[in-house]
Amino acid sequence: MKHNWKIGFVAGITLLLPLVLATTTLTTANAANKTTTSKTAKKAKAKAKPKAKKHYLIVMGHGAGDPGARGNGTTEATFLRKHMLPQLRKYAKKVKGSTITFYNPKKNLVSDTLYHHKGSYKLNKKTTVIMFHLDAPAGHGGHVIIHKKHPTKRDRRLAKVIKKYVGLNRAYNGFSYRTNLRNCNVLRHRGIDYSLVESGFITNKNDVKHLKKHMAKIAKADIEAITNEKIK
Ligand SMILES: [Zn+2]
């Protein structure tokens, strides 16, 4: 078909103009809608209760008159409090996604539980308990005492830390499922999640040497293993 372009142009502009205007109006309306939606979403987010952080209670074994195992001129209670506790505290402060507290180091969780019916009987059931100990009388390496037949992911991470810095006790290859520890059984029966870390033998010169030498790295790695959070 032959076409007069002048008439066509004018007609085209006349036809297009309302369309352009309509599109502009629509876009503005859409933008307004979007703003309202995101505002509503933000309000809902602010209203939703922040998820309670996971709580971990770290317990240094023995203390309060119970020295625990002896070796290399020290005791389990002293070594754990003097060398390990300050480092664990330091890295526990850097964790953002969980809350970590420490059982009063002047106290002894086991005797508090078994002789005073406090300790493990009084803990919140949602708390996860991580207990640190050192082994005796003779051997090398550490392991994690677990409360189910199979280790949890956290147990596996904790065992990796031992393996890296001290070595694993060959007798257990990382994990030992125990049901004859009375304090732990209180936790188990109350449905409280826990891991008991035997970091090495206090009677083994090499184990103690490695523990002392790498204590800062071990503590950092342990806190990361417990919380599954990378510390910068
Ligand atoms: Zn112990």
Side-chain angles (χ1 to χ4, degrees):
M1 193 169 73
K2 248 210 163 193
H3 205 97
N4 181 323
W5 71 268
K6 254 189 187 167
I7 291 174
F9 181 70
V10 173
I13 286 286
T14 321
L15 273 169
L16 265 174
L17 210 55
L19 228 153
V20 168
L21 279 173
T23 314
T24 315
T25 319
L26 257 173
T27 314
T28 316
N30 260 349
N33 248 346
K34 263 185 197 158
T35 315
T36 318
T37 315
S38 72
K39 261 187 193 163
T40 316
K42 264 183 198 157
K43 246 187 207 171
K45 230 184 194 177
K47 262 186 193 169
K49 263 194 184 169
K51 214 180 153 216
K53 282 185 186 177
K54 173 78 198 145
H55 175 227
Y56 295 95
L57 175 70
I58 294 182
V59 186
M60 310 317 282
H62 308 277
D66 167 22
R70 291 173 194 276
N72 285 292
T74 186
T75 69
E76 212 182 333
T78 304
F79 189 92
L80 291 170
R81 281 160 182 74
K82 190 178 152 195
H83 295 283
M84 200 169 199
L85 180 61
Q87 295 293 336
L88 287 172
R89 280 199 199 279
K90 178 182 159 189
Y91 291 105
K93 276 183 200 151
K94 304 192 179 197
V95 162
K96 295 196 172 82
S98 316
T99 310
I100 299 176
T101 59
F102 291 82
Y103 197 72
N104 184 347
K106 293 193 176 87
K107 296 198 143 204
N108 176 338
L109 177 70
V110 177
S111 61
D112 286 351
T113 305
L114 301 180
Y115 307 124
H116 307 290
H117 209 85
K118 291 179 188 164
S120 296
Y121 286 105
K122 301 293 176 193
L123 302 180
N124 186 304
K125 287 184 181 179
K126 284 182 183 167
T127 291
T128 288
V129 184
I130 311 292
M131 294 162 276
F132 284 98
H133 283 255
L134 293 163
D135 227 339
H140 151 68
H143 66 285
V144 182
I145 294 175
I146 59 177
H147 62 93
K148 282 184 181 155
K149 279 187 182 157
H150 300 287
T152 62
K153 284 179 183 169
R154 183 190 64 241
D155 296 325
R156 290 184 190 283
R157 291 193 296 267
L158 285 165
K160 258 190 194 166
V161 179
I162 300 168
K163 190 178 178 181
K164 185 171 176 184
Y165 295 104
V166 180
L168 290 177
N169 184 333
R170 265 197 235 157
Y172 304 108
N173 197 27
F175 311 101
S176 164
Y177 169 53
R178 302 270 302 262
T179 56
N180 61 344
L181 299 165
R182 286 159 67 212
N183 166 57
C184 291
N185 281 346
V186 172
L187 296 172
R188 244 157 40 86
H189 292 146
R190 293 194 64 219
I192 295 177
D193 179 28
Y194 71 83
S195 303
L196 192 157
V197 183
E198 295 279 4
S199 290
F201 274 82
I202 194 169
T203 50
N204 183 308
K205 240 191 186 133
N206 261 322
D207 282 10
V208 172
K209 197 178 97 188
H210 285 117
L211 282 167
K212 280 185 178 169
K213 188 179 170 193
H214 303 297
M215 193 45 87
K217 285 181 197 160
I218 292 170
K220 184 183 182 215
D222 275 334
I223 296 292
E224 288 183 335
I226 291 164
T227 58
N228 199 21
E229 177 179 328
K230 271 263 164 251
I231 299 170
K232 276 163 210 158

